[in-house]
Structure formats: structure tokens, C-alpha cells
Amino acid sequence: GLKDRRRVFLVREITLWLKAAMRHYRLEACGGGAHASGTSAMQVHGGVRPSSGSANKVDVRRRVAVAVTVVEDGPQGDGAMVLAQSVKLLYPPNHPTFKLDLIAIVSPKVRLMIPILTKAGFAVMERQVPVKAEELQDPTYRSKAPTSGCCGLDELLKLEAWTLPQYEKVLLLDMDAIMLHSVDELWNKDVEIVFTKTGGNTNEGLQGGMIMVRPNMHSYQEILAVIRKGDFRYNGKGWEGSGIGYSYGGGNIQGGLP
């Protein structure tokens, strides 16, 4: 049936990815020279060292980023390592079109995860969650928002992707994701945001595990203004009476962004 065909396809894709990851690991661990220490000659503290003779060249590739957010220490380090490796295989430092950075946006509560993220190749940026509960104007929303969805107001840390104008696009992923194919089609879309939904209901909120954005401080401030106003109607009408977002997690960015 259709489910069996999908399962076979997924197993095949994961198998191909794991084979590529193992080839990369063997090169890193057994390649000799700069690789013998377990550290690539091109990697320096999560960044990339220019190769010899390239210092005077202008890099005209498009700057993009894959970002994760971490609000507290936890057991998700292995997921971060796998995600980072899958991205590196598809967008290596010598990619001809895109210069891709791995970014980890972390709250000040995070400490134990930082060395794990750095080792995986993420550049760590510490940011505060941009809206506090006491800033929410609507009393009903103020009482419910901190427990909305999986993470409450902590999920607003994802909005910090809008504040990174050095990148043309930023792809936000949860750390339980894995990149199996290039996302050039998404990088090339001339839109401010790309997201998916979990169902066919057009009023349902977006799926927060994958959001691609074009950084824009004006949009960032507009989104924060909507959140702070807190006009979320729990009678089924959702954000500002539009019907959008009246679903799980919809009282957060998953409903506020659409």
C-alpha cells in the first residue's frame, strides 16, 4: 500500500544518508595530516578558515543559515550533532552557490549544551526570549500563553531569526530534524516566510519545526507587537478574531505568524 511505499522510500533515503555520513567520518578520523587529530583543517571553533591563497578573493556566494533554538539544557545534543552533519554533507564549505552557517540561538539559561553545539559546528548566539509574560496586555492571554503548546513563551526565541540581516535567508529547524536533500528551491523563493502545516485546515497554525524566513527588523517588531497585544480569542476565533491559530500551540508563533 501507500504507507509501505513511503516506508521503503524513507528507509532508502536514511540508508543513503548514513552511508555518506560514514564516508565523511572515515575521512575525518583516518585521513591523516590535519585530519588525524579529528579536526578538519577547514574547521576552527565552529567556523571556517580560509584556504591558503584565498585571503584576497571576494566571496560572492549567497549567505544563508540553518538555525536551531535552545531554551534550556537537555538531552538533545545528539540530535544537534546529527542535524549539523546532515547539513554539512549537503552544503559543504566549498559549495559553489551558498555560504551556509550553522547558528544556535540560545537563552542565557543554556550552559551544558554550548560545548556540544560548538563541537557540532554551530556558532552560538545568546539571546533573551523577546517577550515576557508581564508585557502581555490581554489578561486572559497573559494567563494562558506561558503554557501554550510545547514550550510556552520560550518558543518566541525563534523570532530572533528575523534579527540576522547578514543572511539572505534563515532556515529554522528543530533538533530532531534531519536534512536529506538540498533546499535550494526554498532558498530561491522570493518570499519572506516559508512554512508547512500539519493538516488541511486553512485556519490551523504552522508547524513550528520548519520555518524559513527572510530576516527583517520591521517584520520582527510587527510580530512582537501582535504578541504583546495578545488579542487571542479562546472562543474559536483565534488571533484578532480571524479564526487563525485556534489549534495546539496556536496561541504562540505557530498561530501568530500565519
Side-chain angles (χ1 to χ4, degrees), residues 212-224:
M212 180 176 283
V213 307
R214 176 187 292 155
N216 184 307
M217 285 301 297
H218 179 70
S219 297
Y220 174 74
Q221 295 297 342
E222 285 190 329
I223 296 167
L224 293 186

Side-chain angles (χ1 to χ4, degrees), residues 1-4 26 40 56 74 84 92 101 109 125 133 137 157 163-164 198 222 234-235 249 256 258:
L2 180 59
K3 288 185 178 179
D4 291 332
R26 286 194 293 268
S40 167
N56 296 324
D101 291 336
K109 294 184 292 184
M125 298 180 177
Q137 298 170 21
L157 196 64
T163 71
L164 303 175
T198 56
E222 285 190 329
Y234 293 92
N235 59 357

Side-chain angles (χ1 to χ4, degrees), residues 39-40 42-49 117-124:
T39 303
S40 167
M42 291 296 291
Q43 289 186 332
V44 184
H45 301 296
V48 177
R49 177 190 299 153
L117 292 164
T118 302
K119 185 176 181 179
F122 289 93
V124 177

Side-chain angles (χ1 to χ4, degrees), residues 16 18 31 35 97 100 102 109 111 116 126-127 140 142 164 172 179 183 187-188 202 204 210 219 236-237 249:
L16 290 173
L18 288 174
H35 297 278
T97 307
L100 185 145
L102 292 167
K109 294 184 292 184
R111 286 293 175 263
I116 298 173
E126 184 176 298
R127 299 287 182 88
T140 303
R142 187 188 311 126
L164 303 175
L172 284 158
M179 191 178 287
V183 292
W187 301 130
N188 291 329
T202 57
E204 186 176 335
M210 194 290 291
S219 297
K237 298 295 186 179

